Amino acid sequence: MDVSTLTIKDIKKLLESGEITAESLAGFYLERIKAQNTDLNAFIEIADDVIAQAKAIDVKRAAGEDVGVLGGVPIGIKNNILVQGWEVTSSAQILEGHIGAYDATVIQRLKDAGAILVGRTNMDDAAMGSSTETSHYGPTKNPWDKTKVPGGSSGGSAAAVAAGLVPVALGSDTGGSVRQPASLCGLTGLKPTYGRVSRYGLIAMASSFDQIGPIAHTVEDAALVLSVIEGKDPKDGTSVELPNTTIAELVDTDIKGMKIGLPKEYFIDGIDPEIKKSVMEAVEEFKKAGAEIHEISLPHAEYALAAYYIIMPAEASSNLGRMDGLRFGYHSGGENLLETYSRTRGEGFGPEVQRRIMLGSYTLSAGYYDAYYRKALQVRTLIKQDFDEALKAVDVILTPTSPTVAWSLGEKMDDPLAMYLADIFTISANLATVPAMSIPCGFTKDLPIGLQLIGRPFGEYDLFKMGAYYQSVTDWHEKSPE
Ligand code: GLN
């Protein structure tokens, strides 16, 4: 059976009708992984109990028991989300050998919903990067063109779904790490509103930005997974109580009268003209369905990247302080405690992570705090106000997800600024804590293009409605690399 393009919806039908068992389905995916993963490096480890998990679902189903909304659906897990008993390292040498002591809340919820946890997917070193090349386990390749990057930092999750190794995977998004790889691999990726999904058990990068989100083929699949993992969690004080939502039931794709804002600051020179063209063609599609298009302004957009690269390293430098070589993972001995710390951290953190720890420690230090960190927080507030203002006048904001399509492996590795610029369109949503989703909208040079929809806080349903409408009239999301 060719499972490579199956959606969760397809899988549920096959399983519910008895056409296939969860065990045989898992077997098909494992075969694909075996055939393709050595080359792609999307998964860095496959769980040894995949078949056992699937069998347990089959037994339950045969006994007439409730198997859960994801009963028998295989899923890939980014290597920074804790699963009890799995080695989970954030693809950083410093966490080598670190075993998850408990399940992240999202994992607990996936297990309760009957999902089959297939294995851990590759990512940039400590989630810092936009290409999955800084991983301690080596780079992941883009299934559309194996000489290109899959994006990052959740590049392993995106490559795994694009190659049909799993129908869906979890990523985490601090500055674009779900949306940008989804865009570069031709997939649907959602960064939820900050607080919608619990961060408990996610290895912290920048705690005021981090959100876990799904990477899938379709908006409907992403919505379904979100409905499983979302919601208040007493173990994460920033998670919120959600009103009764209907996101799992996307019946309404009538977008007539919905207002779409096109921020003029996002359609500037520097973006690939082919990307602009595809995104504007998508805008025409929305217009045809009766959506209203408005030009809007997000006047502080140009400061977003600068503010992010002050605040994010500041938070990361503090979060990574706990990785001292004594409590978790990698350890390099020294004559005394200080030497142990500096050896462990010097050897265990890669160059990009060290750069950010230094930047963050600098901007948080006495004398520089007001000049950099506090100023960046003030800019963050202005950016948030831009979005609040704009989203009073329009329901959603539409932009390209990434200024370029996938680039060649190695191309930006010596130029951190060029790498940071890959996130220019995604980081604002993290700064403003609003939900944002990337969906495929075309190709150039045989590589996928993505557009981004940004919504009001907890306005995911608007994004899903727009996205599901778009996917009902286009077939970009049905294309696959083979
Ligand atoms: N590429 C961005 C960074 O390196 C975003 C990373 C992320 O979202 N985890 O900070």
Side-chain angles (χ1 to χ4, degrees):
M1 179 176 204
D2 179 16
V3 290
S4 63
T5 57
L6 290 182
T7 63
I8 299 179
K9 208 175 156 194
D10 298 331
I11 289 173
K12 281 174 65 105
K13 260 191 224 141
L14 291 168
L15 290 171
E16 277 157 22
S17 68
E19 251 171 277
I20 194 173
T21 61
E23 182 185 352
S24 57
L25 183 78
F28 288 127
Y29 280 108
L30 289 176
E31 265 171 44
R32 276 188 77 81
I33 291 170
K34 213 167 151 194
Q36 298 198 27
N37 192 58
T38 314
D39 188 24
L40 283 174
N41 202 25
F43 276 101
I44 49 187
E45 191 173 29
I46 301 298
D48 49 23
D49 65 343
V50 174
I51 293 294
Q53 292 179 54
K55 270 188 182 161
I57 293 290
D58 288 333
V59 167
K60 257 184 150 178
R61 196 187 300 273
E65 286 172 41
D66 179 11
V67 295
V69 290
L70 295 177
V73 176
I75 185 165
I77 306 295
K78 188 175 180 179
N79 186 26
N80 60 354
I81 302 172
L82 296 191
V83 179
Q84 190 173 25
W86 285 18
E87 187 180 349
V88 182
T89 66
S90 245
S91 292
Q93 183 178 2
I94 201 145
L95 281 178
E96 203 165 40
H98 173 244
I99 305 293
Y102 56 88
D103 282 334
T105 297
V106 294
I107 295 298
Q108 190 54 59
R109 290 181 178 172
L110 286 174
K111 285 182 175 174
D112 292 345
I116 310 296
L117 308 186
V118 174
R120 51 189 180 118
T121 56
N122 204 8
M123 57 183 280
D124 277 297
D125 189 0
M128 296 180 195
S130 309
S131 66
T132 316
E133 290 168 292
T134 64
S135 166
H136 177 51
Y137 306 96
T140 296
K141 296 177 186 168
N142 189 320
W144 289 92
D145 177 345
K146 289 178 190 153
T147 68
K148 308 281 184 204
V149 300
S153 64
S154 314
S157 293
V161 178
L165 309 186
V166 272
V168 63
L170 288 187
S172 66
D173 192 314
T174 303
S177 283
V178 163
R179 290 161 286 156
Q180 187 258 16
S183 173
L184 270 46
C185 290
L187 300 166
T188 301
L190 173 80
K191 181 203 87 77
T193 308
Y194 185 80
R196 183 157 200 137
V197 176
S198 169
R199 291 174 297 113
Y200 181 71
L202 170 68
I203 296 175
M205 181 190 186
S207 307
S208 76
F209 300 118
D210 300 342
Q211 273 292 290
I212 295 168
I215 297 179
H217 288 291
T218 64
V219 170
E220 269 189 296
D221 282 5
L224 184 63
V225 172
L226 180 68
S227 74
V228 169
I229 62 173
E230 68 175 0
K232 174 113 188 117
D233 173 15
K235 294 183 182 125
D236 173 3
T238 62
S239 68
V240 299
E241 199 75 63
L242 297 170
N244 275 334
T245 52
T246 48
I247 55 167
E249 296 284 327
L250 258 178
V251 280
D252 177 14
T253 56
D254 180 6
I255 62 162
K256 192 167 184 308
M258 279 186 82
K259 298 190 183 74
I260 301 176
L262 303 182
K264 59 173 194 261
E265 293 82 2
Y266 280 64
F267 290 87
I268 35 151
D269 297 341
I271 69 170
D272 182 332
E274 289 295 316
I275 292 182
K276 194 168 169 180
K277 187 166 153 260
S278 291
V279 171
M280 292 316 290
E281 278 167 14
V283 169
E284 285 307 312
E285 245 0 292
F286 290 119
K287 239 194 220 168
K288 268 196 240 160
E292 291 174 22
I293 313 296
H294 298 265
E295 189 187 86
I296 59 161
S297 175
L298 298 166
H300 299 93
E302 63 176 301
Y303 306 112
L305 199 71
Y308 175 82
Y309 276 100
I310 300 284
I311 302 168
M312 182 268 139
E315 293 187 16
S317 70
S318 156
N319 274 326
L320 297 178
R322 72 188 70 141
M323 290 170 198
D324 55 8
L326 302 176
R327 283 176 286 186
F328 319 95
Y330 184 76
H331 170 87
S332 184
E335 291 290 310
N336 52 46
L337 190 60
L338 185 63
E339 206 177 299
T340 303
Y341 283 167
S342 60
R343 268 205 202 161
T344 300
R345 291 169 63 85
E347 293 162 19
F349 287 128
E352 180 58 31
V353 182
Q354 292 194 20
R355 179 179 302 122
R356 297 201 197 184
I357 291 174
M358 282 189 272
L359 276 172
S361 307
Y362 180 82
T363 59
L364 286 177
S365 58
Y368 299 105
Y369 185 96
D370 285 330
Y372 295 107
Y373 183 67
R374 190 190 302 279
K375 180 119 316 134
L377 290 183
Q378 288 166 339
V379 172
R380 180 178 189 174
T381 303
L382 293 173
I383 288 169
K384 170 104 186 102
Q385 285 169 355
D386 283 355
F387 277 92
D388 289 346
E389 236 3 84
L391 289 163
K392 275 183 202 155
V394 296
D395 297 301
V396 301
I397 295 171
L398 191 153
T399 76
T401 306
S402 161
T404 66
V405 291
W407 58 89
S408 296
L409 287 155
E411 192 179 320
K412 297 187 182 174
M413 278 303 271
D414 298 326
D415 187 350
L417 195 59
M419 194 70 91
Y420 297 171
L421 282 167
D423 303 315
I424 186 123
F425 297 145
T426 49
I427 45 178
S428 299
N430 302 80
L431 287 161
T433 68
V434 292
M437 177 172 76
S438 181
I439 54 175
C441 69
F443 285 84
T444 173
K445 297 174 211 91
D446 296 327
L447 291 167
I449 300 174
L451 69 80
Q452 176 175 233
L453 295 166
I454 307 172
R456 300 186 182 113
F458 303 101
E460 277 84 350
Y461 191 78
D462 290 333
L463 307 185
F464 293 153
K465 204 166 140 169
M466 299 271 311
Y469 164 74
Y470 184 72
Q471 294 186 341
S472 74
V473 293
T474 58
D475 63 358
W476 306 116
H477 60 290
E478 288 169 9
K479 309 250 187 261
S480 73
E482 286 148 307

